Amino acid sequence: MQRRVLGLAIAVVTVAAAAGCGSSSGTGGSSSSGGEKATQVKVGIIPIVDVAPLYLGQKKGFFSSRGIDLKMESAQGGAAIIPGVVSGQFQFGFSNVTSLMIAQTKGVPIKSVVNGAASTGDTDKDISGVGVKKDSPVKSAKDLVGKTVAVNTLRNIGDTTVRESVRKDGGDPSKVKFIEMPFDQMPAALDGGQVDAAWMGEPALTIAMGQGARVVASPFAETDPKLTIATYFASAKLAQENPDLVKKFTEAVSESLEYASEHPDEARQIVTTYTKIDGEVLKSLTLPTWPAEYDMASLEKVASLGEQDGMFDGKKPDLAALFS
């Protein structure tokens, strides 16, 4: 549970590269209605509300109109998706920005290509939160010191921003114990007392609150109200060898982000196609914002926090190269 997922991910990438397995060219084909070959594109995603625009864009034909046969494959977190993108298992991936920064400082050849999701900026209603049981003695972020907090993967934007919430509330973030757990298992684990607290994204957050959980911190909004949370990325090899595919994918995602922002009810409804949620949860869950551009100031803040917490092993991420 406490393994360093990114370290494992890098090892997997190294093994995959040495074995010569996989290709990042994204040239798998399937027939389109016009008789031409559409390019099959696999995207590694996390089954959370943040990726709703991708599914909505697929439904609306934003990808097929550009000759892309889009396939989504789920993973536990961005750190687990990175080796899949580099080895060619996926042509693109969705990852939190901290995992991308860590990977870059380790020399993993990746490049962000388009924005993914951002915080609502509302500390009372954001797309992630730290939940505790109703009768928990934890009342605010500083009370997480000495407690066990579940995050979907270690060394990602979850523990980075939770530490910042604890720090801002006057606690020592180095004394919070983080363990890994898939988002969909967190509400039950919290309710059953397996963890003291859980940092949850939607829809897990709303499900937990429906079971009586209290939110004691909103790490995204508390870190930066315009926080860029996650982006879609490709391998450097794909970006260099198939820029046309990257351009088409980027354009389709951008159109999907815009459409989801303008049609929140449709974005909310599409979540039911890739997560198991009931009608009450659907009505209550919080949607992220889906801006077209990264917020570079917030990315610089995340990088600074990562350095402060020793996430990059003494190296600084090159934000201009990663997010240009």
Side-chain angles (χ1 to χ4, degrees):
M1 289 290 286
Q2 297 184 55
R3 65 193 185 281
R4 295 291 180 87
V5 169
L6 190 62
L8 175 62
I10 303 308
V12 172
V13 171
T14 303
V15 171
C21 64
S23 167
S24 60
S25 60
T27 56
S30 63
S31 295
S32 65
S33 58
E36 298 178 356
K37 287 287 186 179
T39 300
Q40 185 179 93
V41 170
K42 292 182 179 180
V43 185
I45 57 95
I46 312 164
I48 53 177
V49 68
D50 306 45
V51 298
L54 205 63
Y55 286 86
L56 194 54
Q58 181 189 44
K59 181 181 178 181
K60 292 296 177 181
F62 301 154
F63 293 90
S64 59
S65 66
R66 292 175 170 88
I68 293 175
D69 176 22
L70 192 67
K71 305 291 183 185
M72 272 75 79
E73 294 189 15
S74 295
Q76 183 169 324
I81 293 170
I82 291 170
V85 169
V86 176
S87 69
Q89 177 187 356
F90 311 126
Q91 280 69 55
F92 299 94
F94 177 86
S95 175
N96 73 87
V97 297
T98 297
S99 290
L100 294 178
M101 292 179 193
I102 292 173
Q104 189 205 48
T105 62
K106 290 181 178 292
V108 180
I110 53 172
K111 184 176 181 59
S112 180
V113 296
V114 64
N115 200 20
S119 169
T120 66
D122 185 350
T123 56
D124 293 325
K125 196 171 180 62
D126 204 4
I127 58 167
S128 84
V130 178
V132 299
K133 291 187 70 172
K134 185 177 182 180
D135 59 354
S136 170
V138 176
K139 304 300 181 184
S140 68
K142 66 181 178 182
D143 297 330
L144 295 172
V145 171
K147 300 296 191 293
T148 299
V149 181
V151 292
N152 66 320
T153 57
L154 297 174
R155 293 169 64 85
N156 81 352
I157 199 167
D159 45 24
T160 295
T161 56
V162 170
R163 286 190 184 95
E164 178 65 357
S165 289
V166 171
R167 185 182 290 114
K168 283 187 170 182
D169 199 36
D172 183 351
S174 69
K175 295 181 179 179
V176 179
K177 180 183 178 182
F178 293 99
I179 65 168
E180 286 185 353
M181 183 178 294
F183 281 129
D184 61 2
Q185 294 179 17
M186 290 183 188
L190 187 62
D191 192 51
Q194 297 173 31
V195 292
D196 298 312
W199 171 74
M200 294 170 282
E202 290 286 25
L205 181 60
T206 294
I207 292 171
M209 292 174 67
Q211 296 173 351
R214 292 184 290 107
V215 175
V216 296
S218 294
F220 286 166
E222 289 166 5
T223 296
D224 192 302
K226 295 182 179 180
L227 184 67
T228 293
I229 300 164
T231 70
Y232 294 94
F233 69 101
S235 67
K237 180 180 179 182
L238 180 67
Q240 181 178 9
E241 294 182 356
N242 202 337
D244 185 57
L245 178 62
V246 173
K247 181 175 183 291
K248 289 177 179 178
F249 178 80
T250 298
E251 290 173 348
V253 173
S254 295
E255 187 174 5
S256 300
L257 294 174
E258 182 179 0
Y259 188 89
S261 297
E262 295 175 352
H263 301 84
D265 290 340
E266 290 185 49
R268 187 181 300 274
Q269 187 62 42
I270 203 75
V271 177
T272 63
T273 65
Y274 63 94
T275 65
K276 297 178 181 179
I277 58 176
D278 60 33
E280 288 304 312
V281 172
L282 183 65
K283 289 189 294 184
S284 302
L285 65 80
T286 301
L287 298 178
T289 60
W290 289 299
E293 304 293 335
Y294 313 129
D295 185 89
M296 289 305 297
S298 73
L299 292 174
E300 289 167 1
K301 187 165 189 177
V302 171
S304 176
L305 291 174
E307 288 183 63
Q308 185 173 347
D309 292 326
M311 303 285 272
F312 307 130
D313 299 327
K315 297 181 180 179
K316 291 185 178 182
D318 185 345
L319 302 186
L322 183 58
F323 297 103
S324 62

